[in-house]
């Protein structure tokens, strides 16, 4: 089977990649093409300080640096993206990929030679308690050597050598984990040490203007002592040196503290939670705690945590682009079992046996070779560098003018001392005194430049962003991209998921009907015939990605998504024995659930000649596929229009009680309908001519704090829109409960179905998008269309998402908010901020912090520009009128210290106030333009 074939099951999951761009890009807007292609297609006259909040092209980032007047680059650009370093990182990635491919090819060649000679080398020393060594495992996995795997006895033989039970995993006790880590290594890689405080101190010393001041101060000190003696002459020079040193010290301390904060945030981002099976239980562990021999459960959107081999797979497609550079998905099964760490699960689910961790994986080598930096271009930072550049030009002009005026007055004899004597008299004043006077004038001019150039502006942005990021962590929000902090403050609308964000994500089955019997489990289960119960329990146990673990003490633990857990719990109430039910039939093929189809299917072999295809999914969608229904006694009846209406009424009644409705159906297949094993990988399970088994209604209560949070958004001028896969009635009931809808008789455009919205043309879609409060039965593509339409209307859009299919919408939105608990790794990587508790109220707190960034920057700019202008005007007027400057170099340096560094520290770290959420949002231009209150 071709390794790169993409499964049909989950179309449109990812944002388009460079090698997948088709001709329709020409029809898109210039901005869209620029974003997709990664090039700058704007005209040369475009404002260099106006960059997009997300996905800014490298050429554009270079251009704004060239436009900036760089008098003090080491301070101005110390928190912006190092483009050279980014290029170096990409080169390292390519080298490691190429290196790995060369090693793999060499090992294949060597293996072929050894096979012909009939000899196979085995290491003499094996780890105590294990039948295979670290090097053997690493070579086999890195080489993707299927022959070697078979020689070890396949996956089962390898598991025996690693003392792993493929069903129950490893023991997982402290001694076992320690033993495995010692024998095969830990799933960690050496991180490059962060820069020390002394490096920051050295960088602060390299500011050119400060260097000029130090040189001037030293000359001033020498001449002062020579002219006025040690008692009086040391004052000016030493004072300047001390002030400069203080500026350098405060700058270095500030930079070092921010570096430590960003380092901590990077560690948080990399600490992914992985589901493993240990001692028969499915538990969540940190990716760093994975050991060789672990059995890892993989689901759509997960990151492969280590190198390994597939144990079982169901339509398992892997995106290996992060390691190979190839963007096509690779199907994994028993014939192509090798998995590489760092890749993503694009579709399906399965389990894997870990065979290599840490530096024994290509991903580990890659991560150890590159350092993760948080330096990033943010629109506000770039815009304020534009402001700093403009002020810098003014400051230079003023300094040059002051320099010319003071020199002219000095050498023309118009500058006098405090006693009235002329400072320079031609032919009388010594060369030493003339040089000393010139140095003083030059020092004043250079100091004016230091004061005039507000390098504290970009620093203030970084300080307030870092402060906000730190505080947002306490409010359950992990910022992945700095720019999201400031952009969130400009948000005008939030498109939120329902499940888990507006609701508690604690589902329970509260109503059900099977074979016309309304079940009050387990009391009236006996009203159903054994054949109906058998079919229902078979569908529950086999058509699930969840699991049930029964402990020796009799306690039961259910794992899986909230929907799966609710259905499995209902099955247990119906006296289902999960393990027994799973052993009665064998899974042949799986069609995993995704947001496009809104259903999941499985084909199971019940006997040698009987195959059942079970489906479950959105009730009205599954009902539309049914041509028959099964009665309580096991009899099969035709699905008449009256019966359809009766069932639809039952679904609507449940939906009005804000219940999520799921239907179960099946159909029989003969062996002649079953494709061969080679064809089965792309087999689309038949979903027509189904027989309805039953319908359940699940309750997921609203979060108690959501209504207040939605109300707060309304007061702040931020419109909350709910985007859900539930049907219209359920969506309406939940929206009323949350306060998103205030009137149950909302207009048809305020609450709309996804299929209706996508049927509009672009212009109509933009008009309708403005009015939408609730979108029901939406697909990920509908969410993407809604985001695009709202952005075209000028909105700054925040979007929440948790599934792999949400990645395009999260990427397209101005601010993508992924869910930390239910969110997949693919969704998290496409997001800008991760909401750690999946709570909508945390989203509102992010808006509050985003607005705080703006408020703090505005305060700082008002403060700094006021002092800047005052200091410049006073010195210019005094220089021109009297020839003396009232603020000497030392005084100006102290003013600069207070303005640029201490002022930034004080004003940039003010916490948000309630007043911020009573103002209207800044809007789209707010990302890059400072507006004063």
């Amino acid at each position: 089977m071709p390794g790169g074939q993409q499964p049909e099951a989950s179309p449109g999951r990812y944002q388009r990649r460079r090698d997948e761009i088709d001709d329709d890009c020409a029809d898109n807007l210039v901005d869209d093409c620029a974003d997709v292609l990664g090039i700058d297609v704007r005209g040369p006259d475009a404002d260099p300080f106006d960059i997009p909040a997300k996905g800014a092209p490298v050429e554009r980032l270079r251009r704004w640096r060239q436009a900036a007047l760089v008098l003090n680059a080491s301070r101005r650009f110390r928190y912006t993206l190092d483009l050279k370093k980014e290029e170096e990182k990409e080169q390292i990635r390519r080298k490691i990929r190429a290196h790995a491919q060369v090693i793999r090819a060499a090992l294949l060649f060597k293996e072929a030679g050894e096979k012909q000679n009939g000899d196979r080398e085995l290491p003499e020393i094996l780890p105590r308690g294990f039948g295979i060594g670290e090097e053997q495992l690493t070579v086999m996995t890195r080489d993707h050597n299927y022959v070697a795997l078979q020689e070890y006895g396949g996956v089962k033989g390898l598991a025996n050598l690693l003392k792993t039970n493929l069903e129950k995993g490893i023991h997982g006790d402290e001694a076992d984990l320690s033993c495995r880590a010692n024998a095969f290594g830990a799933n960690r890689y050496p991180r490059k040490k962060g820069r020390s405080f002394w490096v920051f101190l050295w960088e602060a010393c390299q500011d050119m203007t400060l260097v000029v001041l130090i040189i001037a101060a030293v000359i001033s000190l020498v001449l002062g002592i020579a002219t006025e003696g040690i008692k009086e002459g040391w004052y000016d020079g030493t004072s300047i040196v001390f002030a400069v040193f203080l500026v350098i010290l405060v700058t270095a301390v500030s930079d070092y503290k921010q570096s430590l904060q960003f380092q901590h945030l990077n560690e948080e981002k990399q600490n992914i939670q992985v589901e493993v099976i240990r001692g028969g239980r499915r538990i969540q562990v940190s990716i760093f705690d994975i050991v060789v021999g672990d059995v890892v459960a993989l689901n759509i959107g997960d990151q492969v945590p280590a190198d390994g081999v597939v144990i079982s797979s169901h339509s398992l497609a892997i995106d290996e682009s992060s390691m190979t550079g190839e963007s096509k998905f690779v199907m994994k099964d028993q014939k192509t079992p090798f998995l590489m760490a760092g890749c993503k699960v694009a579709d399906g689910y399965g389990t894997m046996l870990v065979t290599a961790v840490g530096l024994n994986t290509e991903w580990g080598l890659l991560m150890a070779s590159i350092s993760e930096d948080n330096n990033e271009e943010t629109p506000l930072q770039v815009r304020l560098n534009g402001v700093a550049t403009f002020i810098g030009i003014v400051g230079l002009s003023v300094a040059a003018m002051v320099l010319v005026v003071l020199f002219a007055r000095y050498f023309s004899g118009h500058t006098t001392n405090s006693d009235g004597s002329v400072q320079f008299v031609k032919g009388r004043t010594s060369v030493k005194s003339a040089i000393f006077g010139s140095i003083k004038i030059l020092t004043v001019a250079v100091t004016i430049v230091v004061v005039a150039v507000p390098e504290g502006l970009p620093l203030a942005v970084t300080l307030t962003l870092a402060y906000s990021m730190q505080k947002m962590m306490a409010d359950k929000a992990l910022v992945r991209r700095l720019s999201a902090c400031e952009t969130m403050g400009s948000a005008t609308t939030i498109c939120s998921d329902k499940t888990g964000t507006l609701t508690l994500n604690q589902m329970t089955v509260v109503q059900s009907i099977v074979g016309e019997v309304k079940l009050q489990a387990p009391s009236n289960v006996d009203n159903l015939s054994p054949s109906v119960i058998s079919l229902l329990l078979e569908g529950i146990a086999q058509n699930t990605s969840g699991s049930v673990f029964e402990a020796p003490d009799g306690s039961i633990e259910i794992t899986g998504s909230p929907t799966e857990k609710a259905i499995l719990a209902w099955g247990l109430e119906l006296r289902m024995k999960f393990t027994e039910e799973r052993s009665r039939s064998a899974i042949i093929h799986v069609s995993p659930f995704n947001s496009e189809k809104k259903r999941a299917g499985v084909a199971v072999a019940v006997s040698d000649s009987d195959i059942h295809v079970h489906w479950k999914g959105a009730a009205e969608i599954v009902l539309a596929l049914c041509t028959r229904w099964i009665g309580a006694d096991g009899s099969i009846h035709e699905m008449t229009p009256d019966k359809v209406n009766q069932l639809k009424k039952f679904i609507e009644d449940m939906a009005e009680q804000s219940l999520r409705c799921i239907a179960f159906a099946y159909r029989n297949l003969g062996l002649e309908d079953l494709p061969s094993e080679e064809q089965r990988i792309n087999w689309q399970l038949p979903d027509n001519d189904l027989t309805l088994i039953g319908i359940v209604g699940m309750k997921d209560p609203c979060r108690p704090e959501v209504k207040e949070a939605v109300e707060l958004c309304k007061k702040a001028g931020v419109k909350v829109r709910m985007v859900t896969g539930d049907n219209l009635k359920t969506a309406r009931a939940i929206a009323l409960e949350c306060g998103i809808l205030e009137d149950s008789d909302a207009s048809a455009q305020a609450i709309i179905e996804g299929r209706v919205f996508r049927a509009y043309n672009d212009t109509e879609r933009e008009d309708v998008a403005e009015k939408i409060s609730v979108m029901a039965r939406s697909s990920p593509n509908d969410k993407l269309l809604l985001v695009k339409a709202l952005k075209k209307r000028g909105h700054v859009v925040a979007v929440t998402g948790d599934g792999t299919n949400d990645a395009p919408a999260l990427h397209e939105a101005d601010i993508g908010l992924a869910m930390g608990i239910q969110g997949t790794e693919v969704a998290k990587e496409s997001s800008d901020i991760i909401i750690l508790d999946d709570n909508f109220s945390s989203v509102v707190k992010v808006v509050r912090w985003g607005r705080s960034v703006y408020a703090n920057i505005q305060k700082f700019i008002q403060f700094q520009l006021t002092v800047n202008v005052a200091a410049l005007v006073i010195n210019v007027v005094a220089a021109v009128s009297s020839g003396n400057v009232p603020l000497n170099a030392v005084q100006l340096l102290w003013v600069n210290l207070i303005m640029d560094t201490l002022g930034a520290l004080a004003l940039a770290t003010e916490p948000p106030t309630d007043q911020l959420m009573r103002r209207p949002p800044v809007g789209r231009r707010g990302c890059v333009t400072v507006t004063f209150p």
Side-chain angles (χ1 to χ4, degrees):
M1 154 339 314
Q5 184 139 7
Q6 181 177 339
E8 176 274 334
S10 302
R13 275 176 302 274
Y14 296 108
Q15 61 216 38
R16 295 160 67 196
R17 301 182 182 276
R18 286 185 176 85
D19 55 353
E20 294 173 349
I21 295 170
D22 49 36
D23 296 335
D24 69 353
C25 185
D27 300 329
N28 291 337
L29 292 171
V30 169
D31 283 344
D32 293 337
C33 283
D35 187 40
V36 172
L37 294 167
I39 58 172
D40 191 3
V41 293
R42 292 172 185 262
D45 299 328
D47 183 357
F49 293 105
D50 188 7
I51 70 164
K54 294 174 77 169
V58 172
E59 233 7 84
R60 199 98 146 273
L61 299 181
R62 279 203 185 95
R63 192 183 301 162
W64 81 258
R65 283 172 175 74
Q66 292 165 1
L69 182 71
V70 187
L71 293 173
N72 42 9
S74 61
R75 290 192 74 190
R76 282 279 289 282
F77 297 138
R78 67 187 182 277
Y79 280 122
T80 53
L81 193 66
D82 189 335
L83 297 178
K84 189 176 179 182
K85 194 181 284 186
E86 288 301 302
E87 287 174 6
E88 286 173 2
K89 277 188 190 178
E90 190 53 41
Q91 285 175 359
I92 289 171
R93 285 191 185 98
R94 287 182 191 141
K95 281 179 185 175
I96 288 179
R97 284 175 189 154
H99 182 61
Q101 297 295 339
V102 169
I103 289 174
R104 189 168 293 145
L107 288 169
L108 281 169
F109 185 76
K110 181 184 175 186
E111 187 69 35
E114 286 177 351
K115 194 174 177 184
Q116 281 185 347
N117 297 333
D119 57 325
R120 177 175 177 81
E121 291 184 17
L122 285 173
E124 294 179 8
I125 303 172
L126 297 176
R128 179 182 289 183
F130 300 102
I132 191 169
E134 180 183 6
E135 189 179 341
Q136 291 169 278
L137 279 172
T138 304
V139 168
M140 179 194 72
T141 310
R142 187 177 54 198
D143 185 19
H144 289 194
N145 193 333
Y146 187 72
V147 175
L149 178 63
Q150 293 306 307
E151 287 179 8
Y152 293 133
V155 178
K156 285 184 180 177
L158 192 60
N160 290 334
L161 295 173
L162 290 171
K163 307 299 181 188
T164 298
N165 184 313
L166 292 180
E167 295 293 326
K168 297 182 178 180
I170 62 175
H171 295 297
D173 55 34
E174 203 66 40
D176 185 28
L177 295 177
S178 176
C179 179
R180 290 175 185 275
N182 290 333
F184 303 106
N187 199 28
R188 295 175 182 270
Y189 44 85
R191 287 194 180 89
K192 289 189 176 180
K193 283 187 177 179
R195 293 183 295 173
S196 69
F197 172 73
W198 303 108
V199 174
F200 286 101
L201 197 67
W202 172 246
E203 285 183 352
C205 290
Q206 291 174 311
D207 187 332
M208 187 53 66
T209 49
L210 295 180
V211 170
V212 170
L213 278 175
I214 290 172
I215 294 169
V218 170
I219 297 171
S220 175
L221 183 64
V222 172
L223 291 175
I225 292 171
T227 308
E228 300 175 21
I230 190 74
K231 285 187 178 179
E232 298 291 333
W234 67 270
Y235 172 73
D236 277 355
T238 307
S239 299
I240 293 171
V241 170
F242 179 71
V244 168
F245 174 72
L246 209 56
V247 169
I248 289 170
L249 187 65
V250 173
T251 301
V253 169
S254 168
D255 290 359
Y256 182 59
K257 283 179 69 178
Q258 304 319 314
S259 172
L260 291 178
Q261 280 187 13
F262 290 142
Q263 201 173 323
H264 173 68
L265 287 167
N266 278 330
E267 287 171 5
E268 287 289 335
K269 284 194 291 186
Q270 291 165 357
N271 188 14
I272 299 166
Q273 293 298 302
V274 181
E275 188 177 292
V276 298
I277 303 171
R278 289 180 180 172
R281 296 175 59 200
R282 290 195 177 209
I283 58 171
Q284 295 277 335
V285 301
S286 166
I287 190 170
F288 302 125
D289 295 333
I290 297 288
V291 293
V292 169
D294 256 326
V295 175
V296 179
L298 297 174
N299 290 295
I300 183 170
D302 286 351
Q303 178 175 311
V304 180
D307 284 3
V309 291
V310 170
I311 299 170
S312 65
S313 64
H314 303 293
S315 305
L316 187 64
I318 303 294
D319 176 11
E320 295 184 344
S321 58
S322 59
M323 294 308 299
T324 64
E326 294 291 327
S327 60
K328 293 180 180 177
F329 303 145
V330 180
M331 299 300 296
K332 295 293 179 180
D333 53 23
Q334 300 299 329
K335 292 181 181 176
T336 52
F338 292 99
L339 296 165
M340 288 189 288
C343 301
K344 302 290 188 300
V345 180
D347 201 9
Y349 60 91
T351 54
M352 68 172 279
L353 176 68
V354 174
T355 56
V357 293
L359 287 175
N360 290 330
T361 69
E362 288 174 29
W363 178 255
L365 289 171
L366 182 67
M367 296 309 290
S369 304
I370 59 176
S371 58
E372 182 93 13
D373 291 323
N374 247 95
N375 291 345
E376 176 199 341
E377 238 70 329
T378 79
L380 191 57
Q381 212 172 27
V382 172
R383 199 67 174 174
L384 288 180
N385 263 296
V387 174
T389 294
F390 172 73
I391 297 172
I393 293 169
V394 173
L396 263 183
S397 306
V398 169
M401 188 172 71
V402 169
L403 188 67
V404 170
V405 169
L406 290 181
F407 269 132
R409 291 184 67 93
Y410 179 75
F411 287 110
S412 64
H414 288 83
T415 307
T416 59
N417 294 315
S418 55
D419 59 1
S421 60
V422 178
Q423 287 185 359
F424 180 85
V425 178
K426 190 175 180 182
R428 292 185 191 174
T429 306
S430 66
V431 175
K432 188 191 292 184
S433 297
I435 293 173
F436 189 51
S438 299
I439 289 291
K440 278 189 172 180
I441 292 169
L442 183 65
T443 305
V444 169
V446 172
T447 308
I448 286 173
V449 173
V450 173
V451 176
V453 178
E455 62 269 11
L457 283 181
L459 170 66
V461 178
T462 309
L463 282 172
T464 192
L465 288 175
Y467 174 74
S468 300
M469 286 168 72
Q470 186 183 13
K471 293 296 182 183
M472 284 161 73
M473 273 293 289
D475 282 339
K476 305 297 182 186
L478 171 62
V479 178
R480 295 188 71 252
R481 293 188 179 92
L482 273 176
S483 57
C485 284
E486 65 192 50
T487 313
M488 197 65 188
S490 314
T492 58
T493 185
I494 301 172
C495 299
S496 175
D497 283 344
K498 175 188 76 74
T499 306
T501 309
L502 298 171
T503 62
L504 287 168
N505 217 4
Q506 296 171 0
M507 294 194 181
T508 49
V509 174
V510 294
Q511 288 190 37
S512 57
I513 181 170
V514 178
E516 286 195 310
V517 175
K518 286 192 177 182
L519 293 181
Q520 300 295 329
S523 57
N524 57 351
V525 177
D526 298 330
N527 295 337
L528 299 174
S529 72
S531 62
V532 175
I533 284 290
S534 175
L535 268 175
L536 178 63
L537 297 184
E538 182 181 272
I540 292 172
Q542 296 287 28
N543 192 13
T544 182
S545 58
S547 179
V548 177
F549 170 70
E550 190 169 344
D553 61 1
S555 62
I556 288 176
E557 194 175 298
I558 305 172
T559 56
S561 69
T563 304
E564 296 288 3
K565 287 199 282 190
I567 292 171
L568 287 171
W570 180 61
L572 294 173
E573 288 180 8
L574 299 176
R575 302 169 190 159
M576 175 183 74
K577 299 289 184 185
F578 183 77
T579 309
E580 287 180 23
E581 204 63 54
R582 296 271 289 190
S583 63
R584 283 181 186 148
S585 54
I587 295 176
I588 299 171
H589 189 68
V590 171
S591 177
F593 177 87
N594 68 63
S595 305
E596 295 285 342
K597 300 179 302 183
K598 301 201 183 300
R599 59 185 182 275
V602 63
V604 296
V606 183
S607 63
D608 292 339
S609 58
D610 201 8
I611 295 163
H612 290 166
V613 177
H614 285 277
W615 286 97
K616 75 174 178 195
E620 65 268 34
I621 291 175
V622 173
L623 179 60
L625 301 172
C626 294
T627 55
R628 290 179 291 275
W629 59 280
I630 193 166
D633 59 354
S635 56
I636 305 296
H637 307 272
E638 288 296 317
M639 187 69 76
T640 62
D642 288 343
K643 187 63 180 176
V644 170
N645 292 333
Q646 180 190 340
L647 291 167
K648 280 184 178 177
K649 180 70 169 62
F650 180 70
I651 293 168
E652 286 174 8
D653 289 345
M654 287 197 291
E656 284 173 358
Q657 299 170 51
S658 67
L659 302 184
R660 171 179 280 188
C661 305
I662 303 287
F664 297 86
Y666 87 106
R667 66 169 288 177
N668 282 317
L669 287 181
L671 279 178
E672 64 279 1
D673 301 316
L674 192 66
S676 64
E677 275 198 45
E678 289 74 20
Q679 298 171 323
R680 206 174 293 167
I681 194 74
N682 294 317
W683 183 32
Q684 294 183 30
L685 289 180
D687 57 3
N688 60 325
D689 200 23
L690 302 182
T691 301
L692 183 71
I693 301 173
I695 300 171
V696 298
M698 293 182 289
K699 180 73 175 174
D700 185 11
C702 271
R703 291 182 181 271
E705 64 274 22
V706 158
K707 194 160 188 175
E708 186 183 342
V710 170
E711 193 58 40
L712 191 61
C713 282
K714 287 179 180 177
K715 286 179 183 174
V718 180
K719 184 175 176 65
V720 180
R721 306 167 201 268
M722 186 174 84
V723 184
T724 176
D726 286 340
N727 69 32
L728 216 58
K729 294 282 178 77
T730 305
R732 186 194 298 271
I734 291 286
L736 286 166
E737 202 175 331
C738 294
I740 294 172
L741 286 178
E742 295 175 355
D743 182 9
S744 57
D745 298 321
S747 68
Q749 287 184 329
I751 176 165
I752 193 172
E753 279 194 326
R755 60 182 176 80
V756 177
F757 180 70
R758 79 178 80 107
Y760 290 123
N761 62 38
D762 288 347
T763 310
E764 292 171 333
R765 207 177 287 137
E766 285 178 42
D767 295 333
V768 171
E770 229 12 285
K771 302 168 187 171
I772 290 175
S773 293
V774 177
M775 185 184 285
R777 279 289 174 247
S778 68
S779 68
N781 191 51
D782 297 331
K783 187 188 280 190
L784 180 61
L785 290 173
L786 177 63
V787 170
K788 285 183 173 178
L790 288 169
K791 283 179 73 177
K792 284 179 184 176
R793 296 286 289 195
H795 284 282
V796 178
V797 186
V799 168
T800 70
D802 54 12
T804 304
N805 286 357
D806 289 326
L810 289 169
H811 178 74
E812 178 69 26
D814 295 291
I815 313 103
L817 302 156
M819 298 298 109
I821 299 171
Q822 290 300 317
T824 63
E825 286 308 312
V826 172
K828 289 175 187 175
E829 280 205 358
S830 298
S831 70
D832 306 297
I833 297 173
I834 299 172
I835 305 299
L836 299 174
D837 61 353
D838 290 14
N839 194 334
F840 183 77
S841 64
S842 297
V843 176
V844 180
K845 287 175 187 172
V846 172
V847 175
R848 197 163 173 260
W849 277 109
R851 292 189 173 194
S852 175
V853 169
Y854 259 89
N856 291 348
I857 295 302
Q858 287 169 357
K859 290 173 195 169
F860 180 72
I861 285 182
Q862 286 181 346
F863 166 73
Q864 185 164 44
L865 291 187
T866 305
V867 181
N868 263 34
V869 171
L872 287 174
V873 169
I874 289 169
N875 271 17
V876 170
V877 171
V880 173
S881 61
S882 69
N884 289 315
V885 285
L887 297 171
N888 62 30
V890 176
Q891 290 165 333
L892 285 173
L893 279 172
W894 279 104
V895 169
N896 184 70
L897 177 67
I898 292 166
M899 283 191 317
D900 267 352
T901 311
L902 300 179
L905 282 169
L907 294 173
T909 54
E910 282 195 13
T913 61
D914 293 334
Q915 185 64 33
L916 289 172
M917 292 302 283
R918 297 192 189 105
R919 298 179 187 173
V922 179
R924 178 156 298 283
R925 287 297 296 172
C927 317
V928 287
T929 308
V930 176
T931 55
F932 294 90

